[in-house]
């Protein structure tokens, strides 16, 4: 397995299990098989007491079990033994081998994970790590010396980390939901699975409270509500005269609206604007904004939050400040709204396709596509850092996601998380929205491709697959 394949698996990983060589003094094989059947994505062998040859021998059942279940196998520290153990990577703590040294030893094709336990360590985490272990969140006997950071540490990681990360420390069946609601895209556990009477059931229960790792498909007639760490896509309707949200601000995420039917009136900074269907309005961080339906007919719209820090916390009753929502006094007069009206936007045109650029922000871009029956779409590819979102306005798309064929008609949405292979084409004439979150240079990439330039798509977080 090469580095891209490992990072694709990492991008989809939600549940991480840390085990010693012989849990409870027993052979780990049965425990590993149960945990992996239950949905564990990554297993780390952590045993500080073993010598080199002993650790290599102990790694064999871990490597075998992970291979059988398509999971990643990580070695705690000891980067010089990663190849002998057949590990996909190593994990180092603040007092272990430095991350840059671990990277030098294991090379670019294997993963390096790094433990961080404070906001300062989060800020200093460099480019040598592929993922972070964040915690301890709560006190835990497996690391009694760790000072718990609580949910504040989870929210700090949510707001600053733009790589895969896992909350660790006191993650149990009765705490995983609140940790996920605070913004953790994944969790790492020891006792919750190792000490469970039924490790497979425990793993399934933990996994059920974590964000999805497969494409999220919303059928026509269903209300779109997709919650990923990278993006939240919500569909809503406001009745005549109804207020959607009073003026407010966000510090760490962008708030974007696309009007599907009717009209919306927005307060955007010190302006008030009224926009019809086909309009896209973006509120960057620190822009005061609110909205309502000023008309006498219902208004239907998409609301996109990027990163996904708002709706998950809202659904579990988190107070506004814990889901990055603050009053108008937090606003900045220097921030301006972005977006445009129906039919407007930079035009990226090639044969059989017109793409209107509705907005581009660091957190996301939004494009409105008009395609003919001959449009060839995009071949099989994946992204490692951003989610790829589709919402069909007219006509029909055919998508293949993880080898599942999806025929998406008007009102359907398909949101593809990082690490998921997908391809698509049109079925006849079609119009659809395409959102990339975060923005990884896709508009620039499309311009260069349309101009006939020879472009390496990997520079724009797109990896072509056979």
């Amino acid at each position: 397995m090469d580095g891209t394949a490992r990072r694709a698996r990492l991008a989809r990983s939600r549940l991480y299990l840390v085990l010693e060589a012989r849990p409870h003094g027993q052979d780990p094989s049965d425990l590993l098989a149960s945990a992996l059947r239950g949905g564990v994505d990554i297993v780390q062998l952590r045993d500080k007491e073993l010598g080199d040859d002993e650790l290599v021998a102990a790694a064999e059942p871990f490597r075998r079990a992970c291979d059988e279940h398509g999971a990643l196998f990580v070695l705690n520290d000891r980067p010089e033994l990663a190849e002998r153990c057949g590990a996909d990577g190593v994990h180092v703590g603040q007092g272990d081998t430095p991350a840059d040294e671990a990277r030098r030893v294991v090379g670019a094709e294997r993963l390096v994970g790094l433990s961080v336990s404070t906001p300062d360590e989060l800020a200093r985490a460099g480019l040598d790590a592929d993922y972070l272990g964040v915690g301890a969140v709560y006190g835990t006997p497996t690391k009694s010396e760790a000072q718990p950071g609580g949910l504040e540490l989870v929210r700090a990681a949510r707001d600053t980390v733009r790589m895969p990360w896992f909350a660790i420390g006191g993650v149990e069946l009765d705490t995983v939901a609140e940790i996920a609601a605070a913004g953790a895209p994944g969790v790492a556990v020891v006792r919750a699975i190792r000490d469970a009477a039924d490790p497979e059931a425990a793993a399934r229960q933990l996994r059920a409270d974590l964000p999805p790792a497969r494409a999220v498909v919303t059928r026509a007639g269903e209300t779109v509500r997709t919650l990923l760490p990278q993006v939240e896509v919500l569909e809503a309707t406001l009745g005549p005269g109804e207020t959607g949200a009073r003026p407010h601000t966000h510090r760490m995420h962008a708030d974007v609206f696309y009007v599907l039917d009717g009209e919306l009136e927005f307060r955007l900074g010190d302006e008030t604007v009224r926009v019809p269907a086909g309009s896209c309005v973006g509120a960057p961080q620190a822009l005061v904004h609110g909205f309502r339906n000023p008309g006498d007919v219902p208004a239907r719209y998409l609301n996109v939050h990027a990163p996904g820090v708002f709706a998950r916390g809202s659904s579990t009753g988190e107070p506004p400040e814990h889901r990055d929502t603050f009053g108008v006094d937090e606003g900045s007069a220097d921030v301006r709204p972005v977006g445009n009206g129906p039919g407007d936007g930079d035009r990226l045109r090639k044969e059989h396709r017109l793409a209107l650029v509705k907005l581009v922000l660091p957190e996301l871009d939004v494009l409105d596509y008009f395609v003919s029956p001959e449009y060839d779409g995009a071949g099989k590819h994946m992204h490692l850092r951003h989610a790829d979102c589709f919402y069909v306005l007219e006509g029909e798309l055919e998508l293949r996601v993880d080898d599942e064929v999806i025929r998406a008609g008007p009102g359907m949405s398909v949101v593809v998380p990082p690490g998921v292979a997908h391809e698509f084409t049109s079925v006849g004439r079609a119009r659809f929205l395409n959102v990339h979150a975060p923005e990884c240079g896709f508009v620039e990439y499309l311009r260069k491709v349309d101009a006939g330039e020879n472009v390496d798509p990997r520079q724009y977080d797109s990896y072509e697959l056979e």
Side-chain angles (χ1 to χ4, degrees):
M1 192 190 316
D2 65 12
T4 299
R6 287 182 171 117
R7 290 177 178 89
R9 288 190 183 184
L10 174 64
R12 301 183 65 160
S13 295
R14 299 290 182 263
L15 185 54
Y16 190 134
L17 175 61
V18 182
L19 286 177
E20 62 271 37
R22 294 184 60 81
H24 302 300
Q26 299 177 352
D27 182 284
S29 299
D30 289 345
L31 173 58
L32 287 167
S34 295
L36 290 162
R37 284 196 304 269
V40 165
D41 301 292
I42 305 175
V43 178
Q44 180 190 137
L45 170 57
R46 182 181 188 272
D47 206 314
K48 299 283 191 180
E49 305 304 318
L50 297 183
D52 290 358
D53 292 340
E54 293 173 304
L55 190 63
V56 171
E60 196 277 330
F62 284 76
R63 173 75 276 168
R64 183 178 64 249
C66 289
D67 283 344
E68 290 174 356
H69 293 271
L72 294 168
F73 167 47
V74 171
L75 195 63
N76 182 267
D77 201 9
R78 317 284 273 276
E80 71 281 0
L81 296 181
E83 186 170 359
R84 287 182 63 192
C85 290
D88 294 299
V90 297
H91 185 92
V92 296
Q94 295 292 320
D96 295 331
T97 305
D100 58 350
E101 175 65 12
R103 169 64 66 207
R104 187 190 66 78
V105 173
V106 303
E109 298 300 308
R110 285 187 164 86
L111 306 176
V112 173
L114 175 66
S115 293
V116 293
S117 58
T118 67
D120 286 344
E121 289 176 359
L122 282 171
R124 293 198 305 269
L127 299 177
D128 294 301
D130 293 292
Y131 73 89
L132 300 180
V134 178
V137 178
Y138 300 123
T140 170
T142 55
K143 279 203 170 185
S144 57
E145 76 282 2
Q147 186 68 30
L151 295 179
E152 283 301 314
L153 180 62
V154 176
R155 285 189 281 268
R158 176 200 69 186
D159 291 342
T160 58
V161 177
R162 295 298 173 257
M163 68 175 78
W165 61 277
F166 303 86
I168 188 169
V171 181
E172 305 288 351
L173 296 179
D174 60 351
T175 62
V176 63
E178 66 187 16
I179 292 170
V187 297
V189 302
V190 181
R191 295 175 301 148
I193 291 177
R194 184 196 66 187
D195 299 349
D198 186 340
E200 180 176 348
R204 290 189 190 280
Q205 188 173 339
L206 289 163
R207 185 66 184 260
D209 284 319
L210 298 170
R214 299 179 64 86
V216 181
V217 180
T218 305
R219 308 289 175 182
E222 300 174 348
T223 300
V224 179
R225 185 175 176 80
T226 301
L227 310 183
L228 293 179
Q230 297 79 19
V231 65
E232 295 168 344
V233 184
L234 313 170
E235 182 181 356
T237 299
L238 286 181
E242 188 176 354
T243 295
R246 298 189 180 280
H248 62 284
T249 59
H250 306 299
R251 292 175 182 171
M252 304 305 298
H253 80 275
D255 200 356
V256 171
F257 302 82
Y258 186 94
V259 184
L260 297 168
D261 297 305
E263 293 182 306
L264 288 179
E265 181 180 275
F266 289 89
R267 176 182 167 183
L268 300 168
D270 55 4
E271 301 178 52
T272 299
V273 297
R274 188 166 174 167
V275 300
S279 301
C280 188
V281 175
Q285 298 173 13
L287 178 72
V288 174
H289 62 288
F291 66 101
R292 71 183 191 95
N293 176 2
D296 53 9
V297 297
R300 189 167 60 95
Y301 61 95
L302 292 177
N303 185 200
V304 182
H305 298 266
V309 303
F310 176 81
R312 182 174 294 275
S314 177
S315 65
T316 57
E318 292 283 312
E321 64 271 18
H322 288 175
R323 43 192 167 89
D324 192 40
T325 301
F326 303 92
V328 297
D329 55 327
E330 297 278 342
S332 169
D334 297 328
V335 181
R336 309 304 302 167
V338 295
N340 47 54
D344 294 335
D346 288 350
R347 292 172 174 255
L348 305 181
R349 187 190 298 272
K350 76 168 189 177
E351 190 176 16
H352 309 308
R353 182 265 285 157
L354 170 65
L356 300 180
V357 181
K358 303 305 288 183
L359 62 79
V360 178
L361 290 169
E363 297 85 357
L364 79 168
D365 59 46
V366 181
L367 292 90
D368 192 347
Y369 277 78
F370 300 77
V371 300
S372 70
E374 296 78 18
Y375 175 61
D376 56 3
K380 190 174 183 180
H381 66 289
M382 67 179 177
H383 312 293
L384 298 182
R385 301 191 306 276
H386 76 272
D388 202 355
C389 315
F390 302 84
Y391 184 92
V392 180
L393 298 165
E394 302 169 9
E396 191 174 36
L397 294 182
E398 181 175 287
L399 300 98
R400 183 179 292 272
V401 183
D402 274 346
D403 294 325
E404 176 189 358
V405 176
I406 301 166
R407 297 288 289 260
M412 282 187 65
S413 77
V414 181
V415 180
V416 183
V420 176
H422 59 291
E423 57 188 301
F424 72 95
T425 189
S426 63
V427 181
R429 294 188 180 277
R431 180 184 173 200
F432 61 96
L433 299 177
N434 187 204
V435 177
H436 306 89
E439 194 275 328
C440 288
F442 180 76
V443 171
E444 177 186 340
Y445 167 74
L446 208 57
R447 284 198 176 101
K448 290 184 176 182
V449 170
D450 289 354
E453 296 185 32
N454 186 16
V455 182
D456 182 355
R458 294 173 298 179
Q459 295 179 353
Y460 301 93
D461 190 39
S462 187
Y463 295 81
E464 297 176 349
L465 303 171
E466 296 182 358

